[in-house]
Amino acid sequence: MREAVAVIVDLDGTLAQMVHRRELFAVFAHNGLSLSRAGRIYKRVRNTVGFSLPHMLRAIKEEGYRLDRESTTRDFIKWLRSSLTLYRDVGPFIRAVRAQRIPFIILTLGEEQFQRQKVEMSGIRPDKLIVAGSPHEKVEKLRRVVQERGRPLVCVDDDPRILDAVARELPPYTVIPVRLQRGPYQHLKVRRSHWTIRSLLELPLLSNGRRK
């Protein structure tokens, strides 16, 4: 693999995971709002505007429930600190990338405020953080990085659908898609050939991955 001008890594399912997802609903289950109702509101918010605490509180208010913003925010931050967990290979991976002086960029999909909040709380300090609101926007923002930095870029993601779109929509040899086979999408099949790794430390920049 040619020397990369930057390595771009996804956040959720790639660098970090949320280990106490269901406990999130308990943060909002007060003043008559049940756990099941909080869960339904969460899913609606996530699937429309994208989840964040302000969006969730606004949706709850629109449903006619009143929560104390200060105490709810406190409980939410406590939940986020306990739930957000880095994979064990993240620290060694970042140190290895830094040692090679390769720019390290996080390109993550989700609601802007919440994604930035997670990165800040994770302690990861990328050279650049980019948040995309949709899969299409994620590919387009990756295209912009190519225009800014040149090629080749290495793009690591756990969702093969994103990598298939990258391979389909971006010019050949500009981006090297690498699938990290873990997280919720690890059993999805790919339509195109990508490097496949099971740990960030197997990244072809650092060692030998395998192509699938």
Side-chain angles (χ1 to χ4, degrees), residues 10-189:
D10 178 49
L11 176 64
D12 297 300
T14 304
L15 294 171
Q17 60 180 325
M18 308 301 290
V19 297
H20 302 305
R21 285 186 176 274
R22 292 190 62 83
E23 283 82 346
L24 171 61
F25 305 151
V27 171
F28 306 103
H30 300 287
N31 294 346
L33 180 60
S34 67
L35 277 171
S36 59
R37 185 64 179 168
R40 288 194 293 272
I41 295 173
Y42 164 79
K43 290 178 182 176
R44 177 165 56 82
V45 170
R46 183 193 62 189
N47 293 333
T48 53
V49 294
F51 175 81
S52 70
L53 181 60
H55 289 328
M56 186 70 179
L57 290 174
R58 190 176 304 117
I60 288 171
K61 185 176 181 180
E62 290 170 357
E63 293 278 335
Y65 298 96
R66 295 291 182 269
L67 300 182
D68 181 77
R69 179 176 289 269
E70 184 176 338
S71 63
T72 302
T73 300
R74 213 166 36 239
D75 290 344
F76 174 75
I77 295 298
K78 182 179 178 181
W79 167 81
L80 186 56
R81 288 189 188 282
S82 68
S83 184
L84 181 65
T85 305
L86 297 181
Y87 290 101
R88 287 186 293 180
D89 56 1
V90 171
F93 163 73
I94 293 176
R95 288 192 292 273
V97 170
R98 296 292 191 208
Q100 295 191 34
R101 300 187 178 182
I102 302 171
F104 167 54
I105 300 169
I106 293 178
L107 173 55
T108 179
L109 177 63
E111 197 277 336
E112 177 109 15
Q113 179 179 334
F114 186 45
Q115 295 305 100
R116 291 188 177 278
Q117 187 176 26
K118 285 193 286 187
V119 172
E120 177 68 26
M121 193 166 289
S122 74
I124 300 173
R125 297 295 177 261
D127 295 301
K128 189 172 186 179
L129 170 60
I130 305 171
V131 181
S134 69
H136 174 73
E137 187 182 0
K138 193 171 188 180
V139 175
E140 289 307 306
K141 290 199 171 188
L142 184 57
R143 187 194 305 274
R144 209 166 303 156
V145 177
V146 172
Q147 293 168 349
E148 293 170 356
R149 293 181 177 264
R151 65 181 190 179
L153 302 174
V154 172
C155 177
V156 184
D157 206 303
D158 67 307
D159 189 341
R161 296 168 298 183
I162 296 292
L163 298 175
D164 285 344
V166 168
R168 183 177 62 248
E169 298 179 27
L170 297 187
Y173 311 115
T174 57
V175 176
I176 301 169
V178 178
R179 180 186 186 183
L180 180 57
Q181 201 163 7
R182 68 182 175 203
Y185 307 117
Q186 60 183 301
H187 300 300
L188 290 183
K189 293 183 178 180

